[in-house]
Amino acid sequence: MNLITVSGPPSSGKTSIIIKTINSLHQRDLKVGVVKFDCLYTDDDVLYEKIGVPVKKGLSGSLCPDHYFVSNIEEVVQWGVDLELDVLITESAGLCNRCSPYIKDVKAICVIDNLSGINTPKKIGPMLKSADIVIITKGDIVSQAEREVFASRVHSVNPKAITMHINGLTGQGAYELSTLLYDEGDNIDTVKGKKLRFSMPSALCSYCLGETRIGEDFQMGNVRKMDLGGKND
Amino acid sequence: MINYKDIENKTLSSIEKEYPFITSFYESNKLVVEENENTTLNEYFNSFTEEEIEEWAIDIDKIKEDMIIFINEMLSFLGVKEEVGVNSLTILPGQDKSGNKENFEELTINKSEIISIVGPTGSGKSRLLADIEWTANADTPTKRSILINGDIPDKKWRFSSSNKLVAQLSQNMNFVMDLTAREFIELHARSRMVEEEEEVIEKIIEAANHLAGEKFDLETPITSLSGGQSRALMIADTAILSTSPIVLIDEIENAGIDRKRALNLLVSEEKIVLMATHDPTLALMANKRIVIKNGGIHKVIETDEKERGILVQLDKLDAITSKLRAELRAGNSLNVEDIVL
Ligand SMILES: Nc1nc2c(ncn2[C@@H]2O[C@H](COP(=O)(O)OP(=O)(O)OP(=O)(O)O)[C@@H](O)[C@H]2O)c(=O)[nH]1
Ligand SMILES: Nc1ncnc2c1ncn2[C@@H]1O[C@H](COP(=O)(O)OP(=O)(O)O)[C@@H](O)[C@H]1O
Ligand SMILES: [Mg+2]
Ligand SMILES: [Mg+2]
């Protein structure tokens, strides 16, 4: 089974791209499954079901969704192996710019859209910087110049990645992406022992554990204070 | 091609002198150069503490690797400008949706030529445009192949973000940046490392105003341009500043822009223009017309003098519509006498 991790800011077009790409994989008679990780809510599973793709969803609720991802990915892989999938795709909404669910030696795709503003590539951390393939969506509604500037910004934070422009609505470019995704020789039946590409930050403060009251008295653990004295950093 | 060893012992300021474009890499990756000008690259990377690496999510090895890739790509990109560009594009036949061979032998389109693509929805127009964009090599559902300058194209056209083969224009496109026309063109020019920035800005705004019905100036925010003005600026900018040698157009509406001038501008900048359109005026302005049926190229029709004669009549129709539009804008009543063919 091939494992592919797809991540990207909310509403950047991940599901649209994955669905259009699965259509092309289906044409090659490949069996594809999807697992969606999100925080509080998602309807994506319904969309995947509609095209006949086996799907599971996991909501991390009060936990960090990327931490939740690593804690569950091995079980998810076993689910895919049991279903005898050829390709298992995970979709995670990148809610925090510091974490990313990418695993070493597992194909990592970041989906980012042209509408998110030209400074976005600079703001997104490992999720964009350590991806193998960067998909830029929503090029159909911005000008050529804006697309070019945006792509050059993406390129300067991750020059090594393959950058592709895909239209999530029409699927233009999705066939092309599908040709990069499946490799028969690339077999994964477990991710046990594999490593994340990037460590996830340590954060354990009283608010992580459910504290709601405000004030120094209630702050324990890993707490950091803003410097409001001088200039902004 | 350089490698890390070549620059590790150079100071940041000497690296910047040698590769001026590196500043955008520093900036995007939040590497602070000020006060470190005389530090060598190695010393600089070694100066990050464990905490800083964790805190700002920096991967030093990846940044080193990226920096070298970035420099090498920029060097080859800047070199490409002087190289011969794309002079022609050739489509070799594949098959239609039923698997029948396409009905033509070889179609070559040269720079400064305009080709229109016609066919009902679902017939495969977008697929043809996508084949061109991907420089298909018998590896898409249509099994078509695309040649550039008569040869199998370099893979860079597929994957490099600074060497895109195709620029696109369509009527759904809008400006989303909060910038004035000048800032917008400047930003684009900088991302392209254009040297004569002022000249290019002047040239684009002049060309845009030549296309648009109502003139605008450089201090106008791009998001407050009218539909016609936006379209005019997009076309002028694509013609003059985009690196892509091929322009795909998905219909341009009639309102507020001189479409004949728009096509002439693109052609005068040596672009190859392909447009999916069912507008008779645009279709007749094309040198050739590709007819798509059931996923395959069914016919290639050359626009002959006889067909082109229709343009004269269409121009008259256009002139009438424009006149009526001008009357409406001026708040006048319309007269049936104004409609004389
Ligand atoms: N115009 C345009 N709209 C797009 C494109 N891609 C996606 N969209 C639209 O953007 C919206 C969000 O797309 P999704 O595919 O649900 O995005 P997502 O990243 O999966 O979103 P979450 O999973 O909720 O984070 C939908 O309304 C899509 O139709 C595109 O290329 N162009
Ligand atoms: N020669 C072909 N063989 C197989 N599928 C094709 C072929 N040409 C087009 N298609 C498919 O047919 C569908 C409709 O084509 P599209 O290019 O979107 O049509 P249009 O743009 O003319 O409306 C797409 O899914 C496309 O991939
Ligand atoms: Mg989704
Ligand atoms: Mg189409």
Side-chain angles (χ1 to χ4, degrees):
Chain A
M1 182 178 74
N2 282 200
L3 176 62
I4 297 159
T5 51
V6 179
S7 186
S11 299
S12 56
K14 300 177 291 296
T15 304
S16 311
I17 299 297
I18 295 171
I19 286 179
K20 294 289 194 292
T21 310
I22 289 177
N23 288 337
S24 293
L25 292 172
H26 277 168
Q27 306 244 311
R28 286 155 68 192
D29 287 326
L30 294 170
K31 189 167 178 204
V32 189
V34 178
V35 176
K36 169 69 196 266
F37 289 89
D38 216 317
C39 192
L40 295 175
Y41 176 81
T42 184
D43 253 350
D44 286 352
D45 47 328
V46 182
L47 298 171
Y48 290 119
E49 258 161 25
K50 231 191 236 160
I51 59 157
V53 167
V55 57
K56 286 279 171 203
K57 70 172 163 185
L59 295 178
S60 62
S62 62
L63 295 178
C64 155
D66 289 311
H67 283 86
Y68 179 75
F69 172 92
V70 225
S71 319
N72 285 284
I73 186 66
E74 174 59 14
E75 288 80 356
V76 161
V77 167
Q78 292 318 316
W79 170 78
V81 170
D82 288 344
L83 285 178
E84 299 187 338
L85 298 179
D86 297 305
V87 183
L88 171 60
I89 301 176
T90 64
E91 177 189 341
S92 326
L95 298 169
C96 136
N97 290 337
R98 173 60 178 76
C99 293
S100 83
Y102 306 145
I103 301 168
K104 282 184 185 148
D105 305 319
V106 170
K107 198 160 279 160
I109 302 182
C110 177
V111 180
I112 173 170
D113 73 89
N114 271 301
L115 294 179
S116 62
I118 49 165
N119 289 320
T120 299
K122 201 157 73 177
K123 290 189 226 159
I124 302 181
M127 182 165 74
L128 175 60
K129 288 188 185 174
S130 62
D132 302 310
I133 301 177
V134 180
I135 307 291
I136 305 177
T137 60
K138 305 190 191 176
D140 54 320
I141 41 184
V142 303
S143 66
Q144 175 68 25
E146 287 162 301
R147 276 194 299 281
E148 289 182 13
V149 172
F150 192 81
S152 85
R153 296 283 168 102
V154 166
H155 183 67
S156 67
V157 297
N158 189 350
K160 209 179 159 196
I162 290 174
T163 311
M164 298 180 79
H165 298 259
I166 303 186
N167 181 328
L169 293 183
T170 63
Q172 185 146 336
Y175 168 80
E176 286 75 8
L177 173 64
S178 77
T179 64
L180 305 179
L181 294 192
Y182 181 68
D183 182 350
E184 223 170 325
D186 211 1
N187 239 322
I188 284 184
D189 46 29
T190 177
V191 285
K192 233 183 271 172
K194 285 196 185 289
K195 287 200 155 149
L196 284 171
R197 293 193 183 190
F198 227 90
S199 72
M200 294 187 176
S202 47
L204 199 64
C205 69
S206 41
Y207 297 104
C208 300
L209 296 170
E211 180 60 78
T212 53
R213 291 168 296 177
I214 298 170
E216 293 245 2
D217 290 349
F218 310 108
Q219 298 169 354
M220 274 172 291
N222 200 346
V223 174
R224 179 166 338 138
K225 294 297 191 180
M226 264 169 94
D227 179 5
L228 294 171
K231 64 177 178 91
N232 279 329
D233 52 25
Chain B
M1 290 285 277
I2 63 155
N3 57 47
Y4 187 69
K5 288 249 171 305
D6 299 330
I7 57 169
E8 63 181 346
N9 294 319
K10 294 190 179 167
T11 63
L12 296 188
S13 69
S14 70
I15 293 175
E16 190 176 322
K17 212 166 280 158
E18 201 166 338
Y19 310 110
F21 49 76
I22 199 69
T23 48
S24 75
F25 182 85
Y26 289 156
E27 217 242 324
S28 297
N29 289 285
K30 292 173 285 207
L31 301 178
V32 181
V33 181
E34 284 112 64
E35 292 168 24
N36 291 315
E37 283 93 348
N38 297 319
T39 330
T40 68
L41 191 61
N42 252 345
E43 287 164 357
Y44 178 66
F45 282 135
N46 290 336
S47 70
F48 287 93
T49 62
E50 280 296 319
E51 283 85 59
E52 282 169 324
I53 289 174
E54 159 89 19
E55 180 72 14
W56 303 112
I58 314 168
D59 182 339
I60 301 284
D61 289 335
K62 176 85 165 55
I63 288 211
K64 285 180 184 170
E65 198 182 342
D66 282 350
M67 185 167 165
I68 298 304
I69 295 175
F70 185 83
I71 293 177
N72 282 327
E73 280 189 3
M74 286 310 291
L75 289 176
S76 77
F77 170 65
L78 294 172
V80 161
K81 278 199 212 159
E82 278 89 55
E83 255 177 49
V84 263
V86 171
N87 294 317
S88 74
L89 173 84
T90 302
I91 307 172
L92 298 180
Q95 58 186 41
D96 67 12
K97 288 187 193 179
S98 321
N100 304 312
K101 182 181 169 280
E102 286 182 287
N103 205 6
F104 72 106
E105 288 312 317
E106 176 178 317
L107 174 60
T108 296
I109 307 166
N110 296 308
K111 66 180 178 196
S112 298
E113 272 191 322
I114 304 174
I115 304 295
S116 66
I117 302 171
V118 298
T121 304
S123 59
K125 298 185 294 296
S126 301
R127 186 62 251 167
L128 173 62
L129 298 178
D131 282 347
I132 293 171
E133 201 175 351
W134 183 244
T135 57
N137 186 13
D139 59 354
T140 66
T142 64
K143 305 275 190 298
R144 283 184 193 115
S145 299
I146 303 296
L147 307 180
I148 305 276
N149 300 338
D151 287 320
I152 294 176
D154 193 317
K155 282 275 183 290
K156 74 172 182 205
W157 295 115
R158 283 192 178 180
F159 296 125
S160 142
S161 63
S162 43
N163 279 310
K164 284 271 164 242
L165 187 58
V166 166
Q168 301 203 35
L169 287 168
S170 96
Q171 39 195 16
N172 300 329
M173 290 172 184
N174 287 297
F175 290 121
V176 292
M177 288 180 189
D178 189 13
L179 296 174
T180 64
R182 174 192 296 283
E183 291 163 338
F184 170 79
I185 306 171
E186 262 170 15
L187 183 68
H188 192 195
R190 281 188 197 148
S191 86
R192 286 265 345 265
M193 312 272 157
V194 168
E195 275 148 30
E196 312 82 13
E197 213 171 271
E198 271 311 307
E199 262 168 62
V200 168
I201 294 175
E202 283 304 319
K203 189 171 168 196
I204 291 177
I205 199 83
E206 197 189 309
N209 275 324
H210 189 61
L211 304 180
E214 307 152 273
K215 296 210 181 318
F216 61 97
D217 66 52
L218 281 166
E219 306 319 316
T220 317
I222 49 175
T223 47
S224 62
L225 296 174
S226 72
Q229 291 169 331
S230 300
R231 216 62 67 222
L233 179 55
M234 280 183 206
I235 293 168
D237 171 87
T238 301
I240 295 164
L241 253 185
S242 171
T243 40
S244 307
I246 299 176
V247 181
L248 301 183
I249 301 178
D250 202 354
E251 291 281 5
I252 335 179
E253 75 260 39
N254 205 356
I257 166 159
D258 188 324
R259 298 180 298 172
K260 200 173 295 173
R261 283 182 184 169
L263 289 177
N264 284 337
L265 171 66
L266 291 167
V267 163
S268 71
E269 294 292 327
E270 310 206 314
K271 303 285 185 189
I272 290 173
V273 181
L274 288 133
M275 51 188 180
T277 181
H278 292 143
D279 184 288
T281 308
L282 288 178
L284 291 177
M285 273 188 243
N287 306 75
K288 286 177 193 148
R289 178 153 94 241
I290 295 178
V291 183
I292 308 247
K293 214 168 161 181
N294 188 32
I297 295 183
H298 176 64
K299 270 200 282 201
V300 182
I301 301 175
E302 296 232 12
T303 317
D304 59 16
E305 282 315 306
K306 208 162 135 223
E307 262 194 344
R308 206 157 267 153
I310 301 174
L311 268 180
V312 182
Q313 306 296 111
L314 286 172
D315 280 349
K316 285 187 193 155
L317 274 173
D318 273 350
I320 293 171
T321 320
S322 303
K323 178 148 191 290
L324 294 175
R325 193 178 289 125
E327 296 287 342
L328 281 176
R329 194 177 287 137
N332 300 332
S333 310
L334 303 183
N335 290 308
V336 74
E337 295 87 75
D338 285 338
I339 308 174
V340 203
L341 259 184

